[in-house]
């Protein structure tokens, strides 16, 4: 197992955001974590890399317990989080954004990244603030890859992107998987998840309420209605 | 007033301004990266100047002071940073309280070890007297300060803009948490940044000593000017600190000839005018 989360609790102040979340991601697997806004999806990803104030429970990466490690140590082991806001440094050029994340152990060097993302090479001297939303998302993923991850955590990568960019993103996530990198994907875009994911989890009010493989998810009409459909106000 | 006098005051202002820049850049980057308001920053300048005084008095060798004082202050700051780090997550009011206390302790320690009176520091032997450029006469030591600080600024610019460490620092002024997500140990960045900022400030204290002498309250004065420069230039901006430092240096120096009593007030007038027009500073960002 690449990632095993067992009984994860997370808190922001007094609010108990995650209440005993358990999930796994296998080698080379794409796993999708779904749920409504506020269900705890982003907190789950942040907990994995130690970027929440308080958490309890066990988190293992490979055969190594990581819940006591610092964020940068977890990242160096090969867990890369691409945050929802993308975290592009606006004052740095595209190439500098990549350079500060680059590690020699990565299977992608700068040339390989530019082959995968030709648009980034065209814009390599531009500052982060000059990029479009789609370019920022590509750069955020490229920056994660150049650090040599074995597990990629993607938080709502398709949010706010044009359909043609979403398709491009789909191809890239597929390529990442073929390179042997596992992906834990948080997404609202069901089509994107269905097209890519091997397994699905649904998170509701801080707990996992449903889990299934690819086929099971397609036929799980009741759960999809109950936990994912937007409530009519 | 003659053209030569005005020119002298402008060049004086550039030299002082470069010293101010070196104090302010440390304060600016430390605030930009750690969000830490360090009222004790002026103490690095004070200690640098007094180390210069002590070393020059003991050995007569200014160059020794120029090399050793920033190194010593930098090493102490590097060792102290893991302790100082506890303050980063505290509210600004507590940071100010704690570092103001520290600044006062250092200032009083200087008074205890030396005394409250100002002292002169001789310029190094080769840089005493004046250089002649036609009818323009200028003190050699002040000329050296301008050239030397310009070289330091060039090295700093290269470090910040052309190296990976510099890129990490610039990224850190935007989001240190994102930097950490990329596998970078931010505690090492914090220590190094704190040490470099302290060493630069001590270096400016050494350079200022032969120009203005040393006295126990010079740290407080330098701190308030450094804050003005950070406000004018924009937090975390190298070019902003450079432009702000030179502007304040020249304004202060030129005003001394026109209206000596108001020279220091003009610093704050200049700051007020700039933030009225550009609330985030000359080169700052929202």
């Amino acid at each position: 197992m690449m990632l095993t989360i067992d009984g994860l609790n997370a808190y922001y102040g007094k609010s108990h955001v995650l209440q005993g979340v358990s999930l796994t991601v296998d080698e080379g697997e794409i796993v999708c974590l779904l749920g409504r806004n506020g269900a705890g999806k982003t907190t789950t990803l942040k907990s994995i890399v130690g970027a929440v104030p308080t958490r309890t429970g066990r988190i293992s990466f490979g055969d190594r317990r990581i819940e006591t490690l610092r964020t940068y140590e977890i990242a160096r082991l090969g867990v890369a989080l691409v945050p929802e806001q993308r975290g592009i440094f606006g004052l740095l050029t595209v190439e500098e954004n990549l350079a500060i994340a680059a590690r020699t152990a990565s299977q992608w060097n700068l040339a390989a990244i530019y082959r995968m993302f030709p648009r980034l090479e065209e814009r390599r001297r531009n500052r982060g603030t000059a990029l479009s939303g789609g370019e920022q998302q590509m750069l955020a993923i490229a920056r994660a890859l150049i650090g040599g991850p074995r597990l990629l955590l993607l938080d709502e990568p398709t949010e706010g992107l044009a359909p043609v960019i979403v398709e491009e993103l789909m191809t890239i996530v597929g390529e990442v998987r073929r390179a042997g990198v596992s992906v834990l994907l948080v997404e609202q875009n069901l089509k994107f998840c269905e097209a890519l994911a091997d397994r699905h989890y649904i998170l509701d009010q801080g707990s996992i309420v449903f889990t299934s493989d690819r086929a099971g998810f397609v036929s799980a009409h009741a759960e999809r209605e109950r936990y994912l459909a937007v409530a009519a106000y | 007033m003659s053209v030569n006098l005005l020119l002298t005051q402008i060049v004086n202002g550039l030299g002082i301004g470069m010293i101010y820049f070196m104090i302010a850049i440390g304060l600016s980057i430390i605030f930009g990266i750690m969000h830490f308001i360090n009222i004790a920053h002026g103490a690095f300048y004070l200690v640098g100047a007094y180390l210069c005084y002590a070393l020059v008095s003991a050995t007569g060798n200014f160059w020794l002071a120029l090399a050793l004082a920033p190194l010593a202050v930098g090493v102490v700051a590097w060792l102290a940073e893991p302790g100082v780090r506890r303050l980063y997550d505290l509210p600004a009011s507590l940071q100010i309280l704690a570092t103001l206390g520290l600044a006062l302790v250092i200032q009083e320690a200087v008074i205890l070890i030396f005394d409250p009176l100002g002292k002169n520091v001789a310029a190094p032997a080769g840089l005493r007297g004046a250089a002649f450029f036609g009818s323009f006469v200028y003190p050699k030591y002040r000329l050296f300060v301008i050239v030397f600080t310009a070289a330091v600024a060039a090295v700093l610019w290269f470090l910040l803009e052309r190296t990976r460490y510099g890129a990490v620092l610039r990224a850190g002024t935007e989001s240190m948490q994102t930097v950490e997500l990329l596998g970078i140990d931010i505690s090492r960045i914090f220590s190094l940044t704190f040490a470099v900022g302290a060493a630069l400030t001590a270096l400016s204290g050494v350079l200022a000593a032969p120009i203005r002498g040393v006295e126990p309250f010079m740290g407080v004065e330098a701190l308030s000017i450094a804050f003005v420069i950070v406000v004018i230039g924009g937090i975390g901006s190298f070019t902003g600190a450079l432009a702000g430092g030179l502007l304040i240096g020249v304004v202060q120096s030129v005003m001394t000839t026109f209206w000596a009593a108001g020279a220091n007030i003009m610093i704050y007038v200049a700051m007020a005018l700039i933030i009225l027009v550009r609330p985030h500073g000359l080169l700052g960002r929202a």
Side-chain angles (χ1 to χ4, degrees):
Chain A
M1 211 46 75
M2 171 126 301
L3 176 75
T4 309
I5 299 178
D6 190 14
L8 175 66
N9 290 278
Y11 308 82
Y12 283 115
K14 281 187 180 150
S15 90
H16 191 175
V17 184
L18 296 182
Q19 309 183 1
V21 168
S22 299
L23 62 81
T24 61
V25 180
D26 210 344
E27 304 266 349
E29 212 182 15
I30 298 184
V31 172
C32 195
L33 185 58
L34 297 141
R36 290 205 180 93
N37 283 334
K41 306 182 299 288
T42 296
T43 306
T44 304
L45 295 190
K46 284 190 171 173
S47 298
I48 297 169
V49 296
V52 291
T54 327
R55 70 197 199 287
T56 61
R58 295 154 50 108
I59 307 174
S60 306
F61 181 63
D63 46 17
R64 201 152 165 197
R65 294 280 291 271
I66 60 169
E67 73 268 9
T68 54
L69 299 183
R70 302 264 311 276
T71 297
Y72 82 92
E73 294 171 320
I74 298 170
R76 281 187 191 175
L77 286 178
V79 182
L81 169 65
V82 178
E84 193 177 353
Q85 286 78 24
R86 286 139 197 180
I88 297 307
F89 300 114
L91 296 176
L92 272 57
T93 64
V94 166
E95 197 149 298
E96 284 175 331
N97 265 282
L98 292 167
I100 62 171
R103 272 197 292 278
T104 45
S106 174
Q107 54 179 313
W108 289 278
N109 59 18
L110 194 61
I113 287 290
Y114 283 153
R115 270 198 300 282
M116 200 166 171
F117 303 90
R119 182 72 186 142
L120 293 183
E121 183 165 24
E122 288 168 32
R123 309 221 60 180
R124 53 198 279 256
R125 303 239 174 266
N126 287 103
R127 287 184 191 268
T129 42
L131 302 183
S132 71
E135 287 165 346
Q136 288 199 3
Q137 187 61 59
M138 296 301 173
L139 177 54
I141 294 174
R143 195 176 60 182
L145 295 179
I146 207 167
R150 291 163 57 215
L151 172 65
L152 189 61
L153 311 174
L154 296 177
D155 197 353
E156 309 239 359
T158 71
E159 196 186 21
L161 299 185
V164 51
I165 310 283
V166 173
E167 268 178 46
E168 214 177 299
L169 206 57
M170 222 179 261
T171 315
I172 283 163
V173 175
E175 243 179 272
V176 168
R177 183 223 313 252
R178 274 196 299 284
V181 176
S182 307
V183 180
L184 178 56
L185 178 65
V186 160
E187 216 6 287
Q188 305 267 12
N189 181 339
L190 285 185
K191 280 187 185 157
F192 191 78
C193 288
E194 283 174 355
L196 286 167
D198 303 303
R199 283 188 305 118
H200 297 82
Y201 289 92
I202 296 180
L203 197 58
D204 191 60
Q205 294 179 34
S207 303
I208 299 284
V209 291
F210 175 77
T211 166
S212 79
D213 60 11
R214 184 187 286 260
F217 184 68
V218 176
S219 57
H221 300 291
E223 285 81 4
R224 291 167 68 139
E225 184 65 28
R226 183 165 167 203
Y227 297 116
L228 302 176
V230 178
Y233 290 105
Chain B
M1 95 192 254
S2 73
V3 175
N4 263 355
L5 179 59
L6 183 64
L7 187 60
T8 302
Q9 291 298 28
I10 290 175
V11 181
N12 276 348
L14 292 178
I16 305 271
M18 287 304 287
I19 288 176
Y20 289 164
F21 154 72
M22 293 203 316
I23 304 169
I25 188 70
L27 188 70
S28 183
I29 292 179
I30 288 169
F31 183 76
I33 300 270
M34 289 97 130
H35 302 289
F36 172 51
I37 304 172
N38 184 15
I39 300 295
H41 191 74
F44 298 138
Y45 175 74
L46 174 69
V47 171
Y50 268 89
L51 282 176
C52 177
Y53 166 73
L55 283 167
V56 170
S57 304
T59 67
N61 190 339
F62 173 82
W63 307 110
L64 191 68
L66 190 70
L68 279 187
L71 189 70
V73 171
V75 168
V76 169
W78 186 74
L79 292 174
E81 195 277 336
V84 175
R85 199 175 295 164
R86 295 155 197 267
L87 298 172
Y88 298 166
D89 290 330
L90 295 180
S93 54
L94 293 183
Q95 294 182 354
I96 291 171
L97 203 60
T99 55
L100 177 63
L102 184 62
L104 288 174
V105 167
I106 295 172
Q107 183 179 303
E108 294 307 306
V110 166
I111 294 176
L112 279 178
I113 297 169
F114 301 91
D115 57 57
L117 302 175
K119 307 182 188 313
N120 288 320
V121 176
L127 296 174
R128 286 177 198 150
F132 295 84
F133 305 91
S135 69
F136 182 64
V137 182
Y138 199 72
K140 282 184 192 164
Y141 179 75
R142 282 179 180 257
L143 211 54
F144 157 76
V145 167
I146 293 176
V147 174
F148 182 78
T149 50
V152 172
V155 170
L156 260 183
W157 178 87
F158 182 84
L159 274 176
L160 279 170
E161 297 292 328
R162 291 287 178 270
T163 66
R164 186 168 179 271
Y165 170 68
V168 168
L169 275 191
R170 282 178 291 132
T173 61
E174 293 186 57
S175 164
M176 219 52 204
Q177 194 177 43
T178 310
V179 167
E180 198 176 11
L181 281 176
L182 301 178
I184 295 163
D185 180 0
I186 59 174
S187 56
R188 281 182 54 200
I189 303 283
F190 284 166
S191 295
L192 197 56
T193 305
F194 195 66
V196 170
L200 279 173
T201 308
L203 179 62
S204 32
V206 172
L207 290 169
I211 295 178
R212 57 162 341 270
V214 298
E215 41 94 10
F217 306 103
M218 63 191 289
V220 181
E221 180 197 315
L223 178 76
S224 52
I225 289 176
F227 267 115
V228 168
I229 292 167
V230 173
V231 170
I232 289 180
I235 289 160
S237 166
F238 172 89
T239 329
L242 185 59
L246 291 176
L247 181 77
I248 291 302
V250 170
V251 165
Q252 192 186 29
S253 173
V254 170
M255 282 312 295
T256 314
T257 39
F258 288 113
W259 181 33
N264 284 325
I265 295 172
M266 289 314 290
I267 293 173
Y268 299 95
V269 172
M271 171 175 83
L273 287 177
I274 285 170
I275 56 178
L276 274 176
V277 183
R278 294 190 57 93
H280 298 289
L282 290 174
L283 291 139
R285 53 191 192 277

